Amino acid sequence: MNILSREKIIGRLKEAHHEKNRELFIEADEIRKKHVGDQVHLRGLLEFSNICRKKCTYCGINCYNTTLPRYVMSPEEILEAAGNVVKAGFGTIVLQSGEGALSPGEIEDIILSIKSKFDLAVTLSAGEHPSKVYEMWKKAGADRYLLKIETGMEHLYARIHPDSPLKDRIEMLKNLKNLGYETGTGIMVGLPCQTFESIADDLLLMRELDIDMIGTGPFIPHPDTPLGKELLEGKSTIVPNTMEMALKVVAMTRILMPDINIPSTTAIATVHQEGRKSALNAGANIIMPNMTPAKYRKFYEIYPSKNPEFSNEDPEAIKEKVTNYLKSLGRQAGTGQGGRKRTVR
Ligand code: 5AD
């Protein structure tokens, strides 16, 4: 089992030579192949509402963004979309929304209906809630929960998440694990003031927490957010918010946690044409095609120009597109629900 020292991780994150970075990606790719194989698990992403009560300063759907039209899908629309996820042949639906869009009871009902009608793993990505709410959703049948830390640098976390402190989120992640969820988290790379050292600490923290899935993307400035404006007005970052930097974090994640699930994120695909493929070749083993109906999708603008590849509500079309794409990379679509299978203890 590969345990790199903090100093080694920092050294690799700071490495400026592309050739050395390529070697890092190859190393991560070999570990990916050995521990999770060539299957790429597909998760149908449903962004069921862009209503949010939070003030996160990087996110385009924060409650201060009054220019954005808000929507919430009806339970019938959500069930129809879940049916499409099944038709596309995916084993998991990811229900994502802003926070407080639907009541805990409404979300419970949706989980119950999906689990009674379809053979799907349900991943929730709906923000911070009291333990009893997470417990209720687990009892209703939810399998997994995504709650990103975004950064573990305390003062930066506080700046970008004005509503609640980092320690609460870490407690929630521990709680989600205790409740039996497969638990996902992750960070953004290239936030203003973020340091290489803090990313190394984030990786070690996520490893310590025994997280089951880790999604990383570059920070993409959104012009209607305070943090986005800072960058667009010329402020530079210490850590570059580039594809290569995000790929290095993906690769280090795989090296440090060989058997977890790692998505090739839409944020990486958005900053570079080769992003999706490059992450799959640097440790990632998951894709999350967007199954949100087109009429809503354009309003789920957490950052601008979210890359449209693999967004299609026609299940047959997306199935074919993804299958051909994976074949071209020498990989195959995953079978079953694609949960974490431990190969290391
Ligand atoms: N840039 C990059 N990623 C972002 N996210 C939200 N806003 C941005 C942004 N401006 C990511 C966060 C969040 C996920 C749903 O999208 O990591 O957890």
Side-chain angles (χ1 to χ4, degrees), residues 210-229:
D210 192 24
I211 293 295
D212 304 298
M213 24 183 195
I214 296 180
T216 295
F219 168 56
I220 301 172
H222 187 304
D224 299 329
T225 61
L227 211 67
K229 279 193 187 118

Side-chain angles (χ1 to χ4, degrees), residues 58-60 96 125 147-148 150 169 186-188 215 217-222 225 267 300 302-304:
Y58 54 90
C59 182
Q96 188 174 88
S125 172
L147 184 64
K148 296 204 183 180
E150 316 293 3
R169 191 154 298 194
I187 61 168
M188 285 186 281
F219 168 56
I220 301 172
H222 187 304
T225 61
Y300 202 83
I302 47 185
Y303 49 81

